[in-house]
Amino acid sequence: MRSKEDLRATLRRIDGRGYKAYKDIEGNFDFRDYVLHVDRAQGDPFATPSNLRVRVNQKLAGFSRDTFGNRSREIALRDFITRAFLGASRKYGKGGRGTGKSGLLTIDQPDQEILERTSVFVTEEFVEARFVMGLPAFGRKIAGRHAESMFFEELPQIVRHSLFCENIDSEVMIRHIQTAEDADALRDQLEGLDLVAFVADGAVLPRASGIDSRPLDEGKVVPFESPQSLRVTMELPNRGKISGMGIPMGVSLIVGGGYHGKSTLLKALEMGIYNHIPGDGRELVVAIPSAVKIRAEDGRRIQKVDISPFINNLPFEQKTQEFSTEDASGSTSQAANTIEALEIGARVLLIDEDTSATNFMIRDHRMQELVSKDREPITPFIDKIQQLHRDQKVSTVLVIGGSGDYFDVADSVICMVEYKPMDMTEKARAIAEKYKAERKSEGGDRFGRITQRIPLAGSFDPSKGRKAVKISPKGLKTILFGVHPIDLAGIEQIVDTSQTRAIGEAINYAVKQMDGRRTLPEVVDIVLKDIREKGLDVLSPRPVGDFAGFRNLELAAAINRLRTLGIKHS
Ligand code: ADP
Ligand code: MG
């Protein structure tokens, strides 16, 4: 290992030289309190910034075992330190030091969720932060003195204020860790209580805006308050007893007038698969880990999905046991999204009428009279929703203000009235009794088969030009896999670009598990198991700081949207 004085001398030596000379600082440097790893020096001032790591011996860093002793705590602490590093980099980093990205010093940027990330690691032996720097230059000439300031003035301050426990506000840190641990404990209790989700009394569900996931201003919020009949009490390791609304397994409707908070509640449940930071308002809003948002997504590609539980007898005898299209309709896309989620093992479907295809959701009496069943390929969801629970043990939470026909198939009916949930199950039942729906059920006796498909490795090509593998996220909702864009806009539970980046790499990793026999669920489960055992680092040949955790469901969903995906004939 080189000494830090060696780094200083090198920076002085290459000052004013061509940018490529920055390659001379790749390597490891002993800063006494920590080791600095320059893993990759960028090729020019506009290129992707350089990758660096700082590793502090845990004896010096001083995070007690207690703060990362279980998985919940470890992930929360790593998230907390990432935020501390980011805060310190804003405070002690000077920024703009020349051309292009010169002067940049930053780390992965978390939002409201606490996700597993590769930005920070904490073990018994060390604390490690992975960050990026824009090595400074004027034009293409190295600004060695500026680099020296970054390495010897800015970075030590940032490290001191984020990776050394003694400089961290321990109360804030403990609260962060305990909040995540409580949320995990809460989520773990759902199944045993026959619940699919839980929303604590006092929770703040609405967000600041459609593009700002922070909570809505306190003065404008109606805090969540469970109806008495659905209220359950839970015991948490840190908070102790809390109460809130438990949404039971089976079929639950969220009804109510327009603008009364239905979608906001459902959105909170969708995000209930993640833990949230203190102050978010959804710290104690949780859903079963395999809960999936299902929506219509017209235009998507579908490859050999058995959508026959929902769709049959298409024009021109198109087979729906192995249905393929380059351009799905609203209803076929929603059918495929549902079946694909079930294929991977979703146990709860979250559906909002706002983003659903009407003809997938309902076919009323008059329409049944006008268009006979043999002329209508679609069996609406209303006739499958109970079978789904009975045959497949899959629950549904459905926002539907537009059709009371669903009262016939609901186990619970929650009505939002001015942002307050009311339990209207009995009333809805009485109405269903009094005004009999005249529609006929069209769903048959059973839900039908869920087929597990076998993906073909040869249908994936991550190459681009001379590069054998080139996978890049383009914002949150697109992955460029080689030259093939994968559109993730319909996968609403992806919340972080670092998830998108990791999923992109995970697709390539998944391809290596495809042997012509393994099914898609088997393949994605191997990937997730490897990540669980070895960490997200398995996805990359070199250490990177901007991967975040994701589920098997999102990985499969991304694979399903690759437009070259090939599926083996069964
Ligand atoms: P719906 O789906 O019933 O039409 P939304 O859930 O879209 O209604 O909510 C309508 C508006 O009300 C949104 O702007 C949302 O931010 C706001 N809102 C939702 N819940 C609350 C609440 N508890 N307190 C204050 N405003 C809320
Ligand atoms: Mg709505």
Side-chain angles (χ1 to χ4, degrees):
M1 195 179 337
R2 292 146 79 181
S3 71
K4 67 174 184 178
E5 289 317 317
D6 190 11
L7 175 62
R8 199 193 295 274
T10 307
L11 290 172
R12 290 186 179 175
R13 177 171 56 77
I14 63 178
D15 183 32
R17 285 181 43 195
Y19 203 87
K20 289 275 190 283
Y22 265 133
K23 292 283 174 205
D24 292 358
I25 65 165
E26 284 181 352
N28 309 331
F29 300 93
D30 186 354
F31 272 69
R32 300 180 76 124
D33 283 355
Y34 55 87
V35 176
L36 171 71
H37 302 256
V38 183
D39 289 324
R40 190 195 124 259
Q42 69 209 85
D44 73 74
F46 293 96
T48 311
S50 307
N51 297 92
L52 301 96
R53 285 177 292 146
V54 159
R55 192 178 269 204
V56 185
N57 192 309
Q58 189 60 275
K59 287 201 187 81
L60 294 175
F63 290 90
S64 72
R65 176 90 193 122
D66 184 47
T67 60
F68 60 95
N70 60 43
R71 194 175 151 73
S72 298
R73 287 181 171 230
E74 185 200 319
I75 288 172
L77 178 63
R78 288 163 59 188
D79 176 88
F80 183 83
I81 295 174
T82 301
R83 291 170 199 268
F85 191 105
L86 183 67
S89 72
R90 285 177 181 152
K91 188 162 172 197
Y92 301 104
K94 178 169 165 290
R97 287 179 179 274
T99 309
K101 299 189 173 105
S102 291
L104 179 76
L105 201 173
T106 192
I107 196 165
D108 204 13
Q109 192 176 334
D111 194 13
Q112 297 297 104
E113 288 76 24
I114 298 174
L115 304 175
E116 178 173 16
R117 282 178 198 278
T118 56
S119 51
V120 167
F121 290 83
V122 181
T123 73
E124 302 270 3
E125 282 77 43
F126 61 81
V127 178
E128 177 177 301
R130 299 176 178 179
F131 56 99
V132 296
M133 275 173 68
L135 297 172
F138 294 107
R140 294 194 43 82
K141 277 206 172 83
I142 287 176
R145 292 285 168 174
H146 281 284
E148 200 178 321
S149 298
M150 292 180 75
F151 282 112
F152 291 90
E153 286 159 32
E154 295 180 18
L155 187 57
Q157 291 272 30
I158 295 165
V159 169
R160 190 168 314 129
H161 287 94
S162 57
L163 305 186
F164 287 82
C165 190
E166 61 185 16
N167 300 319
I168 282 176
D169 184 336
S170 66
E171 236 170 76
V172 179
M173 175 179 75
I174 302 275
R175 194 155 73 96
H176 200 84
I177 293 165
Q178 291 186 339
T179 299
E181 186 174 46
D182 278 350
D184 280 329
L186 190 55
R187 202 175 286 106
D188 284 347
Q189 291 175 49
L190 292 175
E191 187 121 25
L193 295 167
D194 287 334
L195 300 176
V196 296
F198 175 88
V199 185
D201 288 323
V204 173
L205 308 188
R207 299 295 98 191
S209 82
I211 51 159
D212 184 345
S213 53
R214 288 172 300 178
L216 184 65
D217 273 352
E218 215 169 307
K220 303 179 191 159
V221 172
V222 179
F224 192 85
E225 191 188 326
S226 174
Q228 197 48 41
S229 54
L230 292 173
R231 186 167 278 143
V232 286
T233 308
M234 306 281 232
E235 182 79 33
L236 301 181
N238 304 301
R239 274 269 196 128
K241 267 197 175 40
I242 61 152
S243 68
M245 180 174 85
I247 300 183
M249 291 184 178
V251 175
S252 305
L253 307 184
I254 300 172
V255 303
Y259 224 67
H260 278 251
K262 303 184 295 297
S263 296
T264 302
L265 172 56
L266 193 81
K267 196 88 218 155
L269 302 182
E270 290 164 29
M271 292 300 116
I273 60 168
Y274 298 121
N275 294 345
H276 290 95
I277 56 171
D280 174 83
R282 300 168 297 181
E283 296 93 312
L284 298 172
V285 180
V286 294
I288 287 217
S290 70
V292 181
K293 171 69 178 289
I294 300 289
R295 57 167 296 160
E297 194 183 342
D298 56 311
R300 67 157 284 194
R301 181 176 186 265
I302 298 171
Q303 188 61 9
K304 292 193 180 149
V305 179
D306 183 353
I307 55 171
S308 63
F310 295 112
I311 298 178
N312 280 290
N313 309 322
L314 285 176
F316 309 116
E317 292 179 16
Q318 296 179 62
K319 280 199 298 184
T320 57
Q321 283 79 16
E322 279 187 17
F323 181 75
S324 303
T325 177
E326 295 296 325
D327 183 9
S329 66
S331 57
T332 49
S333 65
Q334 197 164 356
N337 286 352
T338 306
I339 299 288
E340 287 171 350
L342 298 174
E343 182 185 13
I344 304 301
R347 295 286 314 283
V348 182
L349 307 182
L350 305 170
I351 305 178
D352 193 330
E353 61 184 350
D354 291 354
T355 49
S356 291
T358 307
N359 58 344
F360 179 78
M361 299 309 294
I362 188 73
R363 207 160 98 83
D364 69 8
H365 174 63
R366 285 179 169 170
M367 202 54 83
Q368 286 180 326
E369 290 294 318
L370 188 74
V371 181
S372 61
K373 176 64 191 147
D374 53 331
R375 293 254 171 93
E376 171 51 270
I378 304 170
T379 303
F381 194 65
I382 188 171
D383 293 327
K384 287 293 183 186
I385 196 169
Q386 277 288 353
Q387 298 171 353
L388 198 52
H389 187 226
R390 194 191 60 210
D391 300 349
Q392 307 289 341
K393 306 275 171 290
V394 173
S395 299
T396 304
V397 181
L398 174 62
V399 168
I400 188 137
S403 170
D405 283 356
Y406 267 93
F407 294 170
D408 286 328
V409 294
D411 300 311
S412 337
V413 179
I414 297 159
C415 184
M416 298 303 288
V417 182
E418 292 171 353
Y419 312 128
K420 286 207 193 313
M422 311 278 161
D423 181 357
M424 297 251 183
T425 310
E426 291 312 319
K427 188 157 185 203
R429 226 165 253 160
I431 291 169
E433 202 45 51
K434 187 168 170 198
Y435 305 98
K436 288 267 185 244
E438 291 178 60
R439 69 181 304 278
K440 296 178 282 292
S441 175
E442 305 176 337
D445 301 329
R446 308 201 61 80
F447 179 77
R449 224 161 45 119
I450 310 244
T451 316
Q452 303 197 334
R453 296 164 302 152
I454 298 171
L456 294 172
S459 65
F460 295 76
D461 179 9
S463 72
K464 185 176 182 187
R466 277 176 299 139
K467 286 211 161 113
V469 179
K470 176 79 179 152
I471 305 168
S472 20
K474 295 276 173 250
L476 181 61
K477 297 295 185 178
T478 309
I479 296 168
L480 250 187
F481 190 81
V483 297
H484 308 285
I486 304 177
D487 183 359
L488 308 178
I491 314 175
E492 295 185 357
Q493 286 163 296
I494 294 177
V495 294
D496 194 296
T497 321
S498 299
Q499 288 181 308
T500 310
R501 185 175 295 102
I503 289 170
E505 297 299 329
I507 294 172
N508 204 30
Y509 191 90
V511 174
K512 300 191 183 92
Q513 322 304 322
M514 297 176 189
D515 60 2
R517 286 191 305 275
R518 286 185 182 130
T519 62
L520 183 58
E522 284 168 349
V523 166
V524 294
D525 284 344
I526 292 172
V527 179
L528 270 288
K529 180 167 165 284
D530 285 0
I531 291 173
R532 223 169 16 250
E533 285 169 4
K534 299 173 207 152
L536 286 159
D537 272 347
V538 293
L539 300 177
S540 166
R542 58 176 182 80
V544 294
D546 50 6
F547 284 162
F550 56 87
R551 301 184 300 178
N552 56 353
L553 289 148
E554 276 72 36
L555 174 55
I559 290 172
N560 280 320
R561 283 160 183 76
L562 175 68
R563 284 185 174 267
T564 61
L565 172 66
I567 297 286
K568 195 167 153 175
H569 285 274
S570 45

